[in-house]
Amino acid sequence: GSADASKRDQYHSHFALAYCVKLPEGGVVVADGVLEQCGQAESEQHVLKAQQTYPMWQFVAIESDGKGIEFVQLMNRHPNMVVAPTPTKGKGKAWRLQHLLQGNLKIGRVKISDADTKFLNALRQLLNRYPEVNAHDPGWDAADSVITALVNMTDAVQMPSDNELDWNPYAPPKRKANPWSALAHAEV
């Protein structure tokens, strides 16, 4: 977001916060969200309001690349706020959409509410038009906020498993065994 009103136009990103609700039988519903061009203080208020609105609120996942790390620090000032910093590991929005959201939508593990809201309409419009979507479409920010939540909800959704890295690019790298360690422990 941007506090500078002159930068609130179609060429600048939006603050996006997805309200993702876990279902008892598994899966997630994107119930709604916030999609606004606003500054950090307003963004902070949107997160605090969401936590107060949903009694079973568990955490806020925040993309922690670039300016996102500042917002993580800002939200960590609140003692009752559980923050899940979520780096993108250099994966672009289109990659994240294809690998971390589309599959879950296809198999029904992620559902999108049919409510008529700014956030949900932008999200559905992006998904319906993809890949013919302008790079500045606000739906990208809505989708990215859903994805940021989902990578922290792997108990409720499935991630593709063609390749260890593909299913969760945010997972810490697996340590490879040092080929020399066996020699170090061998009895001579």
Side-chain angles (χ1 to χ4, degrees):
S2 175
D4 183 349
S6 71
K7 293 184 178 174
R8 295 180 187 185
D9 59 33
Q10 65 181 1
Y11 302 108
H12 291 83
S13 65
H14 290 66
F15 166 78
L17 175 65
Y19 304 152
C20 295
V21 180
K22 288 183 189 178
L23 298 172
E25 66 275 13
V28 171
V29 172
V30 182
D32 197 6
V34 177
L35 185 64
E36 298 291 335
Q37 288 183 317
C38 58
Q40 241 182 17
E42 294 164 289
S43 301
E44 179 181 20
Q45 290 309 308
H46 285 304
V47 175
L48 293 172
K49 181 181 176 193
Q51 185 179 21
Q52 293 162 358
T53 302
Y54 292 93
M56 301 296 286
W57 182 271
Q58 291 183 327
F59 63 89
V60 60
I62 301 171
E63 195 174 291
S64 60
D65 296 320
K67 288 196 170 270
I69 199 66
E70 292 174 22
F71 195 61
V72 167
Q73 292 166 348
L74 180 71
M75 295 314 300
N76 272 329
R77 295 181 316 169
H78 299 280
N80 297 325
M81 181 65 62
V82 177
V83 177
T86 308
T88 62
K89 302 285 188 190
K91 301 292 186 184
K93 288 185 182 196
W95 187 95
R96 296 192 303 265
L97 177 71
Q98 291 167 8
H99 290 82
L100 304 175
L101 181 56
Q102 284 185 332
N104 278 298
L105 287 167
K106 280 182 187 166
I107 63 171
R109 295 295 286 181
V110 173
K111 297 173 176 69
I112 298 171
S113 167
D114 62 357
D116 182 13
T117 70
K118 179 179 178 178
F119 180 91
L120 293 170
N121 291 337
L123 177 61
R124 285 190 294 263
Q125 191 170 24
L126 172 97
L127 294 170
N128 288 333
R129 285 203 222 139
Y130 184 82
E132 305 299 322
V133 184
N134 180 298
H136 300 293
D137 190 300
W140 284 112
D141 296 319
D144 225 23
S145 69
V146 172
I147 293 162
T148 301
L150 294 180
V151 299
N152 290 281
M153 300 170 84
T154 53
D155 57 328
V157 296
Q158 295 175 352
M159 296 293 172
S161 57
D162 302 336
N163 167 333
E164 194 84 28
L165 264 180
D166 279 355
W167 83 266
N168 188 352
Y170 311 114
K174 298 254 189 267
R175 287 177 47 110
K176 292 181 179 151
N178 182 333
W180 302 107
S181 65
L183 289 175
H185 301 293
E187 289 188 31
V188 181

